[in-house]
Amino acid sequence: MNPIARRTLLKQAFLGVASVSLGSRALSACLEVAGNTQLPLPAGPLWGIGKLKGVDELGLALAEGCEARLLAVAGDRVDTPGADSARSEYQWHTYPDGGAVFSRPDGGWVYTSNSEVPIVPLGGCGAIGFNPQGEVDSAYSILSGTTQNCAGGATPWQTWISCEESRSGQCFECDPFASRQGVAKPALGIFAHEAFALDEKRGTAYLTEDTRDGRFYRWVASPEDRLPNGRLRLEQGRLQVMNIAGYADDCYPESDALLRGQLPVSWVDVSAPELRQDKQRKKLRRSGSSVPGTTFAGGEGLWVYSLPETLGKQLRPVGGKLPDSLIFWTTKYDNRVWSLDVANQVVELVFDNAQIDSALASVDNLTVSPWGDILVAEDPHSSDIARLVVLNPNKGAKTLLEIHHPGSEICGPAFSPDGRRLYFSSQRYRKGGATFEVTLPAGLLPVQA
């Protein structure tokens, strides 16, 4: 199918379902306000990546200068050439999904990877450890007994938040450095969690919801939630949803063009944060009550990018505050990438499919490199090919790699601490999934992150 036609059909399908489930207000009563000036974000060094090479023996098409290795295959014990034993006892999990990288004190690092198995208690999260030379030296479980663990996010205190995507899903805080059990954090809400990001300076977490009438959430820690060392317990706080000016309270912002400029946002407390949020929204609609929050069509990947001070000064709006943190996230049913300037509380689209010739199908996981490159993974459902692209905000996208694994998707992109290696999974490679490492071209990247 022509990619433009596919994009149109996906959006029409979403709007058709939304018109039934959300009511006419969600599609017709918005004020349709246009945004102001765009945030002039520069492209990162990966925008200079070369053309794709041919498909290799792993079914990968990589950009020039990149090399790949297979790290783990679902159901097989993980090879650990950097350890005393050549193979770990841990069998790599099925349907690997969202992930992140954590630095170890010895100069090595750990890559965490969720398991999106939709059956209780077969979900959870695994980890692969690397020594300072980049050799795999360990593999183990850091969470078990959960279901449909999709994405998540790292905290500044070196823990991994694994998110359940079921409609009664929770978040679990996990220690990536040892084989232990994660701890549930129900204060972060009960809904189809996708991803998590934390703005440490403000004690605020951000969360996406993967439903057609999803919301974009933030959780604001209470003063008593913060420990003396600055770490948050993630147990006491307020759960809120975003309202975009002109698209508040159950409105879906349909026009891409009107969103390609900054619009102010506000936040409102959710109704009954201890209960399932999809049920609460239905209850409010049936009663004729206002339903808080702008509608986001299938929230997916999420990342907080702490701006270098020099870049923040370049991006500072006239009369505005100095930007210090940007929150990026994706919505899959309309194939959008959003950005929130936290300091100035304005939001805008930094990517939609009008910016690319070969339209993306169902944008998904998202990560940001140490140099500010925004990478977005594609979940094209039944296609033979899925892409991982590099964005040039407000200007377009370029393909970094493709997987030629029929029916699969790219999940869990994350960079090593020095930014030289990129990790990701092909969720249904050989049916159960596999995880890969890509070494990036040395001459393309700065000397230090």
Side-chain angles (χ1 to χ4, degrees):
M1 179 183 291
N2 179 287
I4 301 297
R6 174 178 171 79
R7 171 184 95 205
T8 303
L9 285 175
L10 284 171
K11 190 166 184 178
Q12 287 175 344
F14 162 71
L15 293 175
V17 172
S19 64
V20 174
S21 62
L22 307 185
S24 60
R25 172 173 167 72
L27 299 177
S28 63
C30 301
L31 296 177
E32 292 292 314
V33 175
N36 294 318
T37 57
Q38 294 177 326
L39 193 67
L41 284 169
L46 287 177
W47 185 249
I49 201 76
K51 295 181 180 180
L52 293 185
K53 299 179 292 185
V55 181
D56 63 19
E57 66 278 5
L58 296 174
L60 307 178
L62 307 174
E64 294 173 352
C66 295
E67 300 294 335
R69 64 170 170 161
L70 177 63
L71 296 175
V73 176
D76 293 348
R77 290 192 296 167
V78 178
D79 290 336
T80 53
D84 294 336
S85 173
R87 183 165 290 183
S88 72
E89 294 301 315
Y90 182 62
Q91 291 184 330
W92 198 237
H93 46 273
T94 303
Y95 298 161
D97 205 285
V101 170
F102 301 85
S103 297
R104 294 195 322 201
D106 66 354
W109 57 92
V110 171
Y111 176 67
T112 59
S113 172
N114 282 337
S115 175
E116 203 188 6
V117 176
I119 303 171
V120 179
L122 300 179
C125 188
I128 298 177
F130 299 83
N131 65 22
Q133 291 73 46
E135 299 172 313
V136 177
D137 63 10
S138 57
Y140 44 89
S141 171
I142 61 173
L143 177 67
S144 61
T146 56
T147 181
Q148 208 169 344
N149 294 79
C150 200
T155 70
W157 47 88
Q158 295 280 80
T159 62
W160 166 247
I161 305 298
S162 181
C163 297
E164 291 181 308
E165 195 185 3
S166 65
R167 300 216 173 202
S168 57
Q170 297 190 70
C171 296
F172 294 79
E173 187 171 21
C174 309
D175 179 356
F177 302 110
S179 182
R180 299 193 182 102
Q181 179 64 5
V183 178
K185 298 294 178 179
L188 296 177
I190 309 298
F191 54 88
H193 284 275
E194 179 69 28
F196 168 100
L198 193 128
D199 178 5
E200 183 181 22
K201 177 180 178 180
R202 298 171 178 84
T204 302
Y206 295 88
L207 307 108
T208 50
E209 181 181 19
D210 189 2
T211 59
R212 290 179 181 272
D213 69 332
R215 298 300 192 258
F216 187 68
Y217 295 83
R218 77 174 184 184
W219 181 85
V220 183
S222 301
E224 56 268 29
D225 193 76
R226 191 179 291 274
L227 296 168
N229 63 3
R231 178 172 173 165
L232 300 178
R233 296 185 179 91
L234 301 175
E235 295 173 354
Q236 299 180 72
R238 296 169 62 192
L239 187 64
Q240 301 178 318
V241 289
M242 174 188 285
N243 267 332
I244 300 177
Y247 306 92
D249 297 342
D250 226 18
C251 280
Y252 170 69
E254 184 176 353
S255 170
D256 292 338
L258 296 179
L259 300 167
R260 295 184 195 127
Q262 295 175 325
L263 283 163
V265 303
S266 58
W267 300 88
V268 59
D269 291 350
V270 303
S271 173
E274 73 283 1
L275 301 179
R276 271 182 50 171
Q277 288 304 296
D278 62 325
K279 287 187 174 181
Q280 285 303 110
R281 290 195 294 269
K282 290 178 181 178
K283 180 179 178 181
L284 291 170
R285 290 184 193 116
R286 285 196 299 265
S287 68
S289 302
S290 176
V291 185
T294 297
T295 297
F296 289 94
E300 289 283 349
L302 174 65
W303 197 267
V304 57
Y305 176 48
S306 297
L307 293 170
E309 186 175 358
T310 52
L311 179 56
K313 289 179 179 178
Q314 295 173 25
L315 300 178
R316 185 170 190 163
V318 177
K321 298 178 181 179
L322 181 72
D324 54 15
S325 296
L326 298 179
I327 310 295
F328 296 105
W329 76 99
T330 59
T331 48
K332 66 184 179 186
Y333 291 112
D334 45 19
N335 288 292
R336 290 168 169 174
V337 180
W338 304 79
S339 172
L340 170 69
D341 177 348
V342 179
N344 291 288
Q345 288 295 290
V346 289
V347 70
E348 67 171 297
L349 284 189
V350 294
F351 174 83
D352 61 74
N353 263 334
Q355 299 174 18
I356 188 171
D357 291 333
S358 181
L360 294 178
S362 192
V363 295
D364 203 298
N365 286 181
L366 177 150
T367 192
V368 179
S369 79
W371 303 282
D373 300 281
I374 305 168
L375 272 61
V376 176
E378 183 181 37
D379 176 10
H381 304 291
S382 299
S383 174
D384 290 342
I385 301 172
R387 293 169 287 176
L388 182 66
V389 302
V390 182
L391 298 189
N392 188 346
N394 300 311
K395 296 180 181 177
K398 182 180 290 188
T399 302
L400 176 63
L401 63 88
E402 294 175 344
I403 59 170
H404 290 245
H405 305 154
S408 191
E409 64 178 282
I410 294 174
C411 301
F415 289 88
S416 61
D418 65 1
R420 306 286 163 177
R421 307 173 195 232
L422 174 67
Y423 299 95
F424 74 93
S425 294
S426 173
Q427 193 178 79
R428 289 172 290 281
Y429 177 78
R430 298 182 186 173
K431 296 185 178 180
T435 298
F436 301 84
E437 175 192 82
V438 172
T439 302
L440 299 169
L444 185 65
L445 302 175
V447 175
Q448 291 184 340

